[in-house]
Amino acid sequence: VFLLSLLGWFPMACVSSLSSCRRLLPSALFLRAPLAACHSRHMCSSSSEKEDMSRLGEFTTLAITRPRPFVVQVELNRPEKLNAMNRAFWKEMVECFQLLARDENCRSVVLSAAGKHFTAGIDLMDFAGFFGEMSADIKEGDDTARRAMRLHRVIAEMQETFTVIERCPKPVVAAVHGACVGGGVDMISACDVRYCSSNAFFQIKEVDLGLAADVGTLQRLPKIVGNDSLVRELAYTCDRLQAERAMQVGLVSKICSDAESTRTAALELAERIAERSPVAVQGTKVNLNYSRDNPTARALDYQALWNAGMLQTEDLVRATMAHMSKEKAVFSKL
């Protein structure tokens, strides 16, 4: 109410009566269109939206479900291969999260995995074949720079597989159980929140394979745990980080007894997030990410510019009125 009064929308004298507040507020801030019309507008999906939804069901390495209102569960779905990341996975993750980013029926995402383990990391057999094909494509006489440029493009495309999670404006909650190895650490480092089961462990495995991790772990993990010494120790030695220690250093924020309870807890959190204003939640994620990567003064300026537009949302009034009337706010799709 105080905030609304500062914006010139809400006279402080009217706080004693909710009905009088409604009369005094500018009528444009209340949706006077019939609810039936509002529901009709949202039910009439465009052909492009329907096409997007159908594409979500065509993945071979991911299973997409909608277990709660406005919550989408993305499940790694190669349990027979310990959810190892083959070439199809790297492409499907990008397409999946690009679709979810613009899906008005998605406000939060749970990233989980089928089977005994979360993921064994990159599918070595699959990528051995890939690099064999790549070597065969190299023209005789190509110099080192040209080969490096081709490989640089491949690595950049693989980095996008997890950057797309971070760039998606919808909060992503990772539900980890069992092994989370190699590329799995890169992936969950791009998520907003991480829960894990008591038997979970995390392992930066790349050095054991003769390379430096190159799709996000070395860039994101130090900022998450805030312990440069620990990150270097784990990256240099490939030691496992057990669930309890992961909780202590801030990699995860909750430990559950098993895989099922971890997924349930993640879904409950995602549902609570989805109940809030999508304008507010997505704006919060965008600004948290910007603040992490920029100086405080610049981030404050960005936040001011952001809210100069976003404070004009109808959600601000809806949330305030719901709070005053002790009712649950219902927000329009975004």
Side-chain angles (χ1 to χ4, degrees), residues 131 134-155:
F131 283 112
M134 188 173 176
S135 298
D137 288 340
I138 294 176
K139 298 176 183 177
E140 185 176 353
D142 272 0
D143 65 7
T144 302
R146 284 168 174 78
R147 292 195 296 272
M149 288 293 286
R150 289 197 184 99
L151 189 54
H152 178 274
R153 286 194 292 269
V154 172
I155 296 170

Side-chain angles (χ1 to χ4, degrees), residues 45-62:
S45 301
S46 67
S47 58
S48 62
E49 289 172 337
K50 290 179 180 178
E51 183 181 344
D52 284 353
M53 295 308 100
S54 65
R55 286 162 64 192
L56 283 172
E58 296 173 355
F59 299 132
T60 60
T61 66
L62 305 172

Side-chain angles (χ1 to χ4, degrees), residues 72-76 83 109-119 172-180 184 187-189 191-200 202 251-256 258-270:
V72 174
Q73 183 171 355
V74 177
E75 185 173 64
L76 309 188
N83 297 311
V109 181
V110 170
L111 180 60
S112 62
K116 185 177 179 181
H117 294 287
F118 187 72
T119 178
V172 181
V173 183
V176 181
H177 70 281
C180 180
M187 179 166 57
I188 66 163
S189 296
C191 295
D192 295 88
V193 180
R194 290 159 292 276
Y195 286 179
C196 75
S197 63
S198 58
N199 73 334
F202 307 85
L251 177 58
V252 301
S253 54
K254 188 169 189 175
I255 298 176
C256 302
D258 54 27
E260 187 58 37
S261 61
T262 303
R263 281 190 289 269
T264 299
L267 286 169
E268 289 173 352
L269 174 63

Side-chain angles (χ1 to χ4, degrees), residues 50-106:
K50 290 179 180 178
E51 183 181 344
D52 284 353
M53 295 308 100
S54 65
R55 286 162 64 192
L56 283 172
E58 296 173 355
F59 299 132
T60 60
T61 66
L62 305 172
I64 312 299
T65 56
R66 297 177 184 268
R68 309 283 177 93
F70 294 106
V71 176
V72 174
Q73 183 171 355
V74 177
E75 185 173 64
L76 309 188
N77 195 32
R78 298 185 74 214
E80 72 286 353
K81 297 290 186 180
L82 302 181
N83 297 311
M85 302 170 176
N86 62 3
R87 278 178 279 179
F89 165 85
W90 296 89
K91 294 179 180 178
E92 289 180 356
M93 280 288 286
V94 174
E95 184 176 3
C96 174
F97 277 90
Q98 286 177 342
L99 292 173
L100 294 179
R102 60 176 183 260
D103 182 357
E104 65 176 10
N105 292 304
C106 171

Side-chain angles (χ1 to χ4, degrees), residues 264-326:
T264 299
L267 286 169
E268 289 173 352
L269 174 63
E271 185 174 21
R272 288 170 53 207
I273 293 170
E275 290 172 350
R276 269 89 181 156
S277 158
V279 173
V281 169
Q282 293 177 38
T284 297
K285 175 170 180 173
V286 168
N287 280 276
L288 281 171
N289 288 348
Y290 190 90
S291 297
R292 178 198 60 200
D293 298 332
N294 289 275
T296 300
R298 185 180 299 169
L300 283 169
D301 185 51
Y302 186 82
Q303 181 75 68
L305 289 170
W306 182 277
N307 267 8
M310 296 304 126
L311 281 177
Q312 300 180 61
T313 175
E314 67 184 35
D315 291 12
L316 185 62
V317 177
R318 286 178 183 267
T320 302
M321 300 297 287
H323 179 73
M324 292 178 63
S325 62
K326 301 191 184 306

Side-chain angles (χ1 to χ4, degrees), residues 213-278:
D214 55 5
V215 289
T217 290
L218 303 184
Q219 293 69 38
R220 296 187 176 101
L221 191 59
K223 297 174 182 177
I224 293 170
V225 303
N227 187 330
D228 183 73
S229 176
L230 176 63
V231 172
R232 289 172 185 268
E233 176 185 336
L234 296 172
Y236 297 156
T237 65
C238 304
D239 287 347
R240 292 182 178 185
L241 183 69
Q242 301 294 339
E244 193 169 321
R245 180 65 171 148
M247 177 78 168
Q248 292 172 354
V249 300
L251 177 58
V252 301
S253 54
K254 188 169 189 175
I255 298 176
C256 302
S257 59
D258 54 27
E260 187 58 37
S261 61
T262 303
R263 281 190 289 269
T264 299
L267 286 169
E268 289 173 352
L269 174 63
E271 185 174 21
R272 288 170 53 207
I273 293 170
E275 290 172 350
R276 269 89 181 156
S277 158

